[in-house]
Amino acid sequence: MPNWGGGNKCSACRGTVYHAEEVQCDGKSFHKCCFLCMVCRKGLDSTTVSIHDQEIYCKSCYGKKYGPKGYGYGQGAGTLNMDRGERLGIKPEETQTHKPTTNPNPSKFAQKFGGSDKCARCGDSVYAAEKIMGAGKPWHKNCFRCAKCGKSLESTTQTEKDGEIYCKACYAKNFGPKGFGYGQGAGALVHAQ
């Protein structure tokens, strides 16, 4: 017997969805006004929806909750804010404090033939896509920092001493020449007399 005047049930509110207001997604029906992101409640359409375990999200919230994490996975200007995803149930990682070089396996032979290269700073595996060479050792891009001040370095801005890397300013301050005329100012002259 035909169902006169009825319609499918909305997957969000469980109310009846009539044909004129129906949006279908993944075999389910929604009211146009109920077809919203589960997190930010933005209205969705076929180009902005992402589905995960029967739940619908906008691309941005889906990426924050289920997308890849780590360096290089930014999402445009949205990554410039301080939103770390707590409202999505994501626990923020603790920020790492700067650690001096602690490579447990400094042998080039062991690094070469004992699996992937190990980062000279943290000792974790360094894969080709993220590897930076400095002082003859592999580093993660995030670990390629001055041993004194923690400033991020590039191959052109780093200096090396005893297997450790430094920014040019810290290297000059700690290992460069000392005295009047070498960045010590007039105070060095007064103290020298």
Side-chain angles (χ1 to χ4, degrees):
M1 184 150 145
N3 184 5
W4 301 104
N8 296 323
K9 296 290 182 193
C10 175
S11 292
C13 74
R14 310 305 306 152
T16 301
V17 181
Y18 297 100
H19 185 69
E21 60 183 354
E22 183 177 35
V23 176
Q24 290 192 341
C25 175
D26 201 32
K28 297 184 181 73
S29 295
F30 295 87
H31 293 106
K32 285 180 185 174
C33 62
C34 292
F35 196 55
L36 305 171
C37 172
M38 301 287 288
V39 176
C40 68
R41 310 301 292 163
K42 286 183 188 168
L44 302 172
D45 62 37
S46 62
T47 63
T48 60
V49 70
S50 292
I51 304 165
H52 185 85
D53 291 336
Q54 312 296 318
E55 295 178 335
I56 57 175
Y57 300 93
C58 68
K59 300 247 185 236
S60 178
C61 290
Y62 179 88
K64 287 177 185 173
K65 190 162 185 171
Y66 300 109
K69 308 285 187 281
Y71 183 82
Y73 290 104
Q75 310 226 340
T79 60
L80 299 176
N81 68 25
M82 297 304 289
D83 178 12
R84 298 187 338 197
E86 287 94 348
R87 64 191 174 106
L88 302 176
I90 300 169
K91 292 184 174 133
E93 297 175 14
E94 290 183 24
T95 56
Q96 288 186 327
T97 57
H98 176 74
K99 297 187 287 187
T101 302
T102 55
N103 189 343
N105 197 359
S107 158
K108 285 185 180 182
F109 180 82
Q111 286 182 356
K112 191 76 167 172
F113 300 104
S116 64
D117 290 337
K118 301 294 183 191
C119 175
R121 176 83 60 224
C122 70
D124 290 341
S125 294
V126 181
Y127 300 100
E130 60 184 349
K131 181 163 63 172
I132 294 178
M133 292 299 293
K137 300 176 188 174
W139 306 77
H140 292 110
K141 178 153 178 63
N142 212 28
C143 293
F144 198 63
R145 299 179 172 278
C146 174
K148 290 288 184 186
C149 69
K151 178 181 171 187
S152 183
L153 300 172
E154 294 179 13
S155 61
T156 58
T157 61
Q158 65 98 25
T159 54
E160 180 258 332
K161 180 163 177 73
D162 299 328
E164 188 56 86
I165 56 174
Y166 302 91
C167 67
K168 292 187 179 195
C170 286
Y171 182 88
K173 189 177 356 173
N174 292 285
F175 308 112
K178 306 278 189 276
F180 185 72
Y182 291 103
Q184 303 297 317
L189 182 61
V190 171
H191 295 296
Q193 294 177 345

